[in-house]
Amino acid sequence: MAKFTDAKGREWLVSITTGGVKAVRQQLNVDLVDLNQSTMDRLATDFVMLVDVLWVLCEQQAANKQPPVSAEDFGEALVGDPIEAATTAIVEAFCNFFPAGRRLLLQTANAKTTQVRRKAEELALAKLTSLDLTAFEQATEKRLEAEIQNALTRLNSATS
């Protein structure tokens, strides 16, 4: 079963069931199993929606914890790395919802998507760390000097 740990160290089990799909549809108007809408893509990028969906799926667990966890406390504890762990858990639960043939397709697609995203992040980080801002800084400095000189010239004209 898919699971994640929130920022307060609490473990949450994520399971998508027919009942959970219905509850998410009714409460949030989100169809977890509509493959054409790319709901999983939205959950991976819209963290507010992710937390809302997870809350619907985990609300009973929250009520059974000691002390019980409120929706606000649940959401507050999903920041930073736990967001990534929660995203991974819900995608795993999503794949597990479907029969074996479709599950394998979804797991393979998810693995490839994850590879592409990680490679894109690596490339972006490499590009940012190798970026030389010297020319930009020099151009900005010259532009600022010209603007200051222009302002001083206008001020001198006005005071003359």
Side-chain angles (χ1 to χ4, degrees):
M1 182 173 286
K3 61 185 174 181
F4 69 94
T5 302
D6 68 20
K8 294 185 178 181
R10 298 175 297 216
E11 187 173 88
W12 300 92
L13 302 177
V14 182
S15 177
I16 296 177
T17 62
T18 303
V21 170
K22 286 180 181 181
V24 169
R25 279 181 186 164
Q26 289 172 345
Q27 294 179 38
L28 304 174
N29 198 29
V30 172
D31 190 350
L32 290 178
V33 293
D34 182 359
L35 299 177
N36 294 325
Q37 264 191 344
S38 300
T39 301
M40 287 299 117
D41 289 339
R42 285 184 52 215
L43 288 172
T45 57
D46 183 345
F47 299 139
V48 173
M49 181 178 146
L50 171 71
V51 171
D52 287 345
V53 168
L54 284 169
W55 172 252
V56 172
L57 297 174
C58 297
E59 189 171 6
Q60 188 60 51
Q61 290 176 66
N64 293 333
K65 292 207 182 273
Q66 291 303 322
V69 177
S70 69
E72 292 77 21
D73 188 33
F74 180 81
E76 292 294 320
L78 283 177
V79 295
D81 292 341
I83 285 282
E84 185 172 0
T87 302
T88 300
I90 200 165
V91 170
E92 180 182 335
F94 172 76
C95 292
N96 290 337
F97 176 80
F98 292 96
R102 191 171 297 164
R103 180 181 325 126
L104 183 58
L105 279 170
L106 293 169
Q107 288 169 332
T108 303
N110 179 54
K112 290 297 180 185
T113 300
T114 301
Q115 280 181 317
V116 169
R117 190 190 80 242
R118 287 198 175 129
K119 188 64 178 173
E121 288 170 353
E122 284 176 26
L123 292 171
L125 183 60
K127 185 73 171 171
L128 285 172
T129 55
S130 69
L131 192 58
D132 182 10
L133 296 178
T134 306
F136 174 75
E137 290 169 347
Q138 290 172 349
T140 302
E141 190 174 309
K142 286 181 181 178
R143 187 176 49 81
L144 286 173
E145 286 174 4
E147 287 181 22
I148 291 169
Q149 187 61 39
N150 188 23
L152 288 174
T153 302
R154 284 194 309 246
L155 183 60
N156 286 338
S157 295
T159 57
S160 292

